[in-house]
C-alpha cells in the first residue's frame, strides 16, 4: 500500500467508528493494567465477567495486595492461566506500592519490567491510559497487517515497527483499536468477511471471501 492508500484505509475505518475504545471494562489506570494482564490468551468478554465483581472492591494496588493471591484466584478462576496471572498481578501490585507510590508508570520500558507485563501489554496501557501513539500487536493486528499488506512482518515486533513507520496522523493514536476491531469482527482468522469489508479494494489479500 502506498501512502495515499494507507491514509484512505484508516480514514474508512475511522469513519465507521470515530471513537474506538477497548472492550475491556476498567475504572482507572491500575484496573486497566490488571485487565490487560488478565486478557492474555483470554477474551475481553471473559475478563470483564471476572473483573466486574473484583473491581468493585479493588481499585488500587494496595487493595490488591490486601486481597492476596488466594483471594484473587477466587475471582479469576474462570480465566485461562489464572494461577500464573494471579501470581503476577499480586507481584506487580506489590512493586507498584513499594516503588511507584501506587501509580502506574507511564513509560513503556518501565512497565515491561513488571511481572506479567510484556511489550504488547505495555503498549496497550500507554496507549489507552496515557494516549501515547503506540502499536500493540496482538493476533488480530498481526493477521490484518500481513493480509492487507499494510504492515507485513514475520514477528509481532516486525509488524509493530512497520506500523510505527507507516501509520499517518491523525490516525496514530487510535490505529491499534481500529485494527483490532477490524480483525475481530470483519477480517476474521478463519473466514474473513471480505464481501462487507470497507477496505477490500485497498487490501492485497488474494483469496478474498465472496459474498455468501
Ligand atoms: S478484504 Fe478480506 S482479507 Fe482484506 S482486509 Fe478486508 S476482510 Fe481482510
Amino acid at each position: 500500500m502506498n501512502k495515499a492508500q494507507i491514509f484512505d484505509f484508516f480514514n474508512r475505518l475511522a469513519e465507521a467508528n470515530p471513537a474506538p475504545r477497548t472492550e475491556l471494562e476498567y475504572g482507572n489506570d491500575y484496573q486497566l493494567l490488571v485487565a490487560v494482564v488478565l486478557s492474555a490468551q483470554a477474551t475481553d468478554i471473559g475478563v470483564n465477567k471476572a473483573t466486574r465483581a473484583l473491581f468493585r472492591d479493588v481499585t488500587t494496588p494496595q487493595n490488591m495486595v490486601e486481597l492476596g493471591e488466594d483471594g484473587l484466584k477466587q475471582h479469576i478462576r474462570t480465566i485461562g492461566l489464572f494461577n500464573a496471572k494471579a501470581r503476577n498481578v499480586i507481584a506487580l501490585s506489590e512493586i507498584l506500592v513499594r516503588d511507584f507510590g501506587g501509580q502506574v508508570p507511564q513509560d513503556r520500558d518501565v512497565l515491561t519490567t513488571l511481572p506479567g507485563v510484556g511489550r504488547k501489554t505495555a503498549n496497550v496501557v500507554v496507549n489507552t491510559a496515557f494516549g501515547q501513539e503506540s502499536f500493540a500487536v496482538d493476533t488480530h493486528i498481526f493477521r490484518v497487517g500481513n493480509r492487507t499488506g499494510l504492515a507485513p512482518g514475520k514477528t509481532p515486533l516486525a509488524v509493530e515497527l512497520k506500523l510505527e513507520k507507516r501509520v499517518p496522523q491523525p490516525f496514530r493514536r487510535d490505529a491499534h483499536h481500529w485494527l483490532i476491531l477490524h480483525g475481530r469482527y470483519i477480517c476474521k482468522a478463519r473466514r474473513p468477511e471480505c464481501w462487507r469489508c470497507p477496505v477490500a479494494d485497498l487490501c492485497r489479500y488474494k483469496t478474498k471471501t465472496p459474498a455468501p
Side-chain angles (χ1 to χ4, degrees), residues 19-62:
R21 292 286 165 261
T22 173
E23 295 184 339
L24 288 172
E25 295 171 6
Y26 64 98
N28 60 29
D29 301 343
Y30 170 68
Q31 290 183 339
L32 172 68
L33 172 62
V34 172
V36 179
V37 169
L38 296 179
S39 72
Q41 294 176 52
T43 65
D44 288 357
I45 293 169
V47 172
N48 290 340
K49 264 191 201 152
T51 56
R52 255 173 229 144
L54 173 70
F55 288 167
R56 264 200 297 274
D57 298 327
V58 175
T59 60
T60 66
Q62 181 64 42

Side-chain angles (χ1 to χ4, degrees), residues 76-178:
I76 65 169
R77 52 189 326 120
T78 52
I79 302 175
L81 309 175
F82 75 95
N83 279 313
K85 288 175 181 174
R87 210 164 37 245
N88 284 332
V89 167
I90 295 298
L92 76 82
S93 300
E94 287 169 349
I95 294 171
L96 292 182
V97 171
R98 191 184 67 217
D99 299 340
F100 295 97
Q103 302 297 310
V104 176
Q106 300 198 14
D107 185 301
R108 181 179 66 191
D109 295 336
V110 175
L111 276 168
T112 57
T113 65
L114 297 171
V117 181
R119 189 179 175 93
K120 188 188 74 176
T121 297
N123 272 326
V124 173
V125 171
V126 297
N127 176 275
T128 305
F130 307 125
Q132 294 177 25
E133 292 167 1
S134 62
F135 302 89
V137 177
D138 70 351
T139 177
H140 298 299
I141 299 189
F142 185 75
R143 184 174 69 250
V144 171
N146 274 295
R147 267 184 187 161
T148 58
L150 169 70
K154 288 198 164 65
T155 64
L157 181 61
V159 170
E160 178 187 328
L161 297 179
K162 281 255 169 64
L163 289 170
E164 178 89 44
K165 206 162 124 200
R166 291 185 171 176
V167 178
Q169 294 293 17
F171 307 115
R172 291 180 66 83
R173 205 192 66 181
D174 287 329
H176 114 265
H177 288 300
W178 283 312

Side-chain angles (χ1 to χ4, degrees), residues 9 144 147-148 182 186-187 192-194 197 199-200 203 205 208:
F9 180 99
V144 171
R147 267 184 187 161
T148 58
H182 185 63
I186 295 181
C187 193
E193 298 181 0
C194 306
C197 172
V199 292
C203 168
Y205 190 56
K208 293 195 174 78

